[in-house]
Amino acid sequence: MIIAVAAVMIYPLLWMVVSSLRPTDVIFREPGLFLQTFQWENYAEGWTALSHPFGHFMLNSAIVVLGSIIGNLVSCSMAAYAFARLEFRFKGLFFAIMLMTIMLPIHVIIVPQYIMFSQLGWVNTFLPLIVPKLLATDAFFIFLMVQFIRGIPRDIDEAARIDGAGHPRIFLQVILPLMVPALATTTIFTFIWTWSDFFSSLIYLTDPDMFTVPVALRAFVDATSESNWGALFAMSIVTLLPVFIAFVLGQKFLVKGIATTGMK
């Protein structure tokens, strides 16, 4: 039963791999997984089909991903430490509001955000995609880290405080090194979600020179003329490789980070 379910789940991916090696005119005419010929030219054609080599768009995505990862690691870890270890007025209320933002769809806030970023002159730059990450806007990661920090005994904090350490030193030298599993989980999820983010990139990036990978893939589909499906599937496979590699390399940290938080 499990094998059958796994086969159904993996079939679309296998079909895309096979379709990336077929001529465009037979992709939808022969939906099976058996190849009669190998159209390796789809990869070469897809790499150079747009206004820039496809590596240019992968570099754009890498810039956004790197900025988002750094932003989430820095801002979310600091916010999580404040919620988990500091005492201040309305802490419970602020924490509840933070959790409520997880349930807030991006479509609700995208219009006021676009107006604000447009007035700042940030449209068609990477800033709208990176700067919010520096402001701890991903409540999911804050909650993840808060639960992890709460699992760290407070005796460690007290020992550091007896030695004369303040909150900045406790956070940087005591808590942060113990948060490696949670930080690794945040890194992996941020990488996957940002690399695959189509909606935000489509809204803020209008210049083809600034396109990230998801928007560049959309350029292969033309509603007014023939679409190059073979090149599209070929570049889709190329796009999936970094995500697959990141998941394989970080799977151990991903499982450990989730298992050691309050999300079990």
Side-chain angles (χ1 to χ4, degrees), residues 15 37 102 135 187-188 191 210 212 224 229 234:
W15 183 84
T37 59
I102 298 178
L135 303 176
T187 300
I188 296 169
F191 176 85
M210 305 296 294
T212 56
T224 61
W229 294 104

Side-chain angles (χ1 to χ4, degrees), residues 79-256:
Y81 178 81
F83 279 124
R85 287 295 196 258
L86 302 185
E87 296 297 333
F88 50 90
R89 291 187 65 185
F90 306 118
K91 171 181 168 181
L93 176 62
F94 291 145
F95 188 72
I97 294 175
M98 183 272 296
L99 290 179
M100 290 174 61
T101 62
I102 298 178
M103 300 178 286
L104 193 65
I106 187 176
H107 310 85
V108 176
I109 61 176
I110 193 66
V111 172
Q113 277 190 347
Y114 184 87
I115 294 173
M116 178 180 66
F117 291 140
S118 178
Q119 292 175 345
L120 291 173
W122 288 2
V123 174
N124 205 36
T125 71
F126 295 142
L127 294 176
L129 305 176
I130 297 176
V131 171
K133 308 296 183 182
L134 297 169
L135 303 176
T137 57
D138 283 330
F140 172 79
F141 298 125
I142 299 176
F143 176 73
L144 180 81
M145 295 183 190
V146 166
Q147 297 301 98
F148 190 93
I149 295 175
R150 285 175 176 173
I152 300 175
R154 286 183 176 269
D155 295 344
I156 299 178
D157 301 35
E158 296 299 331
R161 192 168 289 109
I162 292 174
D163 289 339
H167 284 295
R169 186 177 174 187
I170 293 174
F171 171 68
L172 292 174
Q173 298 185 3
V174 178
I175 300 298
L176 206 58
L178 298 175
M179 291 176 58
V180 171
L183 297 176
T185 302
T186 299
T187 300
I188 296 169
F189 275 126
T190 301
F191 176 85
I192 295 174
W193 292 348
T194 306
W195 184 268
S196 306
D197 182 19
F198 172 74
F199 183 73
S200 298
S201 298
L202 180 66
I203 294 296
Y204 293 115
L205 303 178
T206 57
D207 186 351
D209 291 344
M210 305 296 294
F211 282 177
T212 56
V213 164
V215 184
L217 288 176
R218 177 63 180 81
F220 282 97
V221 181
D222 191 344
T224 61
S225 62
E226 183 179 357
S227 300
N228 193 343
W229 294 104
L232 169 62
F233 290 136
M235 291 303 97
S236 297
I237 296 300
V238 173
T239 300
L240 284 175
L241 289 178
V243 177
F244 178 76
I245 293 173
F247 182 80
V248 170
L249 296 179
Q251 184 178 14
K252 178 180 68 174
F253 297 101
L254 185 65
V255 174
K256 184 177 180 181

Side-chain angles (χ1 to χ4, degrees), residues 29-55:
R29 198 169 64 222
E30 299 178 5
L33 297 179
F34 297 99
L35 285 170
Q36 296 180 353
T37 59
F38 291 85
Q39 187 82 4
W40 297 105
E41 292 81 2
N42 285 341
Y43 285 85
E45 184 179 351
W47 190 264
T48 59
L50 302 179
S51 58
H52 295 281
F54 201 76

